[in-house]
Amino acid sequence: ALVLALVVTIRVVTAVKANSRAQAELIHGAQTDPLTGLPNRTVLLERINDVIGSTWRADTHPTLYFVDLDRFKNINDSLGHAAGDEVLVTVARRLVNAVTPDAMVARLSGDEYVVLDTTATSQGAAMACAERLLAVFREPLALSQGDVFVTASIGVAAINPTSTTSAEDLVR
């Protein structure tokens, strides 16, 4: 009887652990872009709303950077979707490496990324970050098919503590 109770206990513990892992995987899948592993639009909007509703310090200027790859459709059309996916993953990695660890890089959809930097201390610091993000595109991207140059456009939006703008409006 003791052995049977031990076997049942082990099976219950194993089932609970498997269920917990499955739930964690579902949550992770619902919050991340499957290609790049970056946070997705939902997580980004939640974080922006958190920033909008948080207590503000006078020495911070939370800033959003909207990065859109130029003529990305041409890459997919001429080199194929696999090459396009390589570009998106490489760009994601470069953007993450270009910002502070406190910043969030998210992929909205297609070739659109948003960076949320809550640590900027001035408009000058925000513009310096924008320059670092643009510098990501100065070097060619090494793809399995060869090097390719990609350019991007960037939009910058400061988050104002007195604004009634929604996270969705800021991203738009």
Side-chain angles (χ1 to χ4, degrees):
L2 182 60
V3 172
L4 181 58
L6 183 58
V7 169
V8 169
T9 302
I10 289 172
R11 285 186 178 165
V12 168
V13 168
T14 302
V16 168
K17 284 183 179 179
N19 186 29
S20 178
R21 275 193 300 274
Q23 285 179 339
E25 288 172 12
L26 284 172
I27 290 169
H28 178 76
Q31 295 178 337
T32 59
D33 171 62
L35 179 64
T36 62
L38 293 176
N40 63 18
R41 178 185 204 92
T42 302
V43 173
L44 173 70
L45 293 174
E46 287 172 3
R47 181 70 181 109
I48 293 170
N49 278 324
D50 289 347
V51 170
I52 291 170
S54 69
T55 304
W56 287 69
R57 295 187 352 231
D59 63 340
T60 60
H61 299 271
T63 308
L64 279 177
Y65 306 87
F66 187 91
V67 180
D68 186 25
L69 303 184
D70 298 330
R71 296 174 298 284
F72 180 71
K73 184 179 180 321
N74 292 347
I75 293 172
N76 273 338
D77 290 347
S78 62
L79 300 176
H81 289 281
D85 287 351
E86 277 187 83
V87 166
L88 295 172
V89 170
T90 302
V91 167
R93 194 175 332 113
R94 286 187 180 186
L95 291 173
V96 168
N97 290 333
V99 296
T100 66
D102 295 329
M104 173 189 276
V105 179
R107 180 171 173 225
L108 289 189
S109 64
D111 62 341
E112 300 171 338
Y113 301 86
V114 172
V115 176
L116 170 61
D117 181 12
T118 60
T119 64
T121 56
S122 66
Q123 286 183 347
M127 295 313 293
C129 182
E131 285 298 322
R132 282 193 313 276
L133 293 170
L134 286 176
V136 160
F137 300 97
R138 291 198 181 108
E139 296 294 320
L141 284 77
L143 305 182
S144 57
Q145 298 174 324
D147 290 356
V148 65
F149 279 94
V150 176
T151 59
S153 302
I154 188 167
V156 181
I159 301 173
N160 185 330
T162 60
S163 174
T164 58
T165 304
S166 71
E168 194 66 56
D169 288 339
L170 280 169
V171 169
R172 194 176 9 262

